Amino acid sequence: MARDILLHIGRAKTGTSSIQEVLANSEAALAAHGWRYASAARRGSSHRYAAVYFSNQKRLAFDPAVLQQQVDALAAELASTDQNTIISGEGFQNAARPEKIAPVIPPERTQVLVYLREQYVWAQSTYAQKVKATEYNEDFETYLQTADPRYEVMLQRWRRGFNPAQLTARLYDRACLAGGDVIDDFLGVIGLDRTGMAPSQGDKNPSIGGPLLELKRRLNTVPGFASLRAVPRIYRAWLDLAASDPRMRQRPWAPTPVVEAYRSRFVDSNSRVDQDLLGAEAGLSAAARRARDLVVAAPDVADVGSAWDALASLRPEAAESIRAVVEAAAKDGHAEALGLSQIVLR
């Protein structure tokens, strides 16, 4: 009863959530073509339980018994199904020893699929996400000093530990994706198209940028602001404003010499990845060359007042909670809070 398996391992910020959402809502369409999106080990639309189990990342946040139960259920499902199966979780990319996955997901039956994003563009996206979702408050140039996605290392780990002949890498770049869309591209890997598939609901987690990103970065330094991070209406406020105003989605910016120095760190390893897996025109080196041709103006990050005014107008209840935290910190003499108080308390 052994059938084929497609194991999608990310990477982060390459449309993974959109792919998973479509797959999770397209059971009938997939079944019509002999495929299924595995039901075991899922949390939401992602096979997060299995990804966390094998990556060892964030395992402390889960009950070990639950993780084991979910992984055992996935193994049983793969052993019993008469359909080809898709498994997707970007946490799989962090598996230190992919060979440990083999007892659950048999390598001889499995094609591993990973999407890679040109490193500087990836850094822009991950920086914005980190500032938005955590208390991280360093500026973008400081972040670039430690952002070091050397894909070659991760790919070698999977080649050594899993099935080297069954590793497929694709470039997350509209110029190279089938139809310019990652969902179309993903389905094409297994010979399918959008016919009968559930529609994508769009980006439910838009990146924040421009003055909104700078506002959030500065707020992250304020004592007490971290307590608001888990409040849904606060997090939703950032997303809603970013979705409604393109200025609030402008990507983080760095001077050209800084960008070129950052990209130079990956030239040799990217060349080897291109040669081994991606090809010259659909590779990381070509993506970097295309990006250099784009003239991108620095966003007006200093205008945090406009971001605050827009946020307060769109989500006044969220603004009120933020205002109270800033006011309390300013009364205690916190320097950043004193500066922000001139904006949020006016």
Side-chain angles (χ1 to χ4, degrees), residues 314-331:
L314 185 67
R315 291 288 180 262
E317 70 289 350
E320 189 58 36
S321 297
I322 296 169
R323 188 179 289 114
V325 168
V326 172
E327 184 175 19
K331 287 180 179 178

Side-chain angles (χ1 to χ4, degrees), residues 38 106 120 161 165 239 244:
Y120 179 69
L239 304 186
S244 67

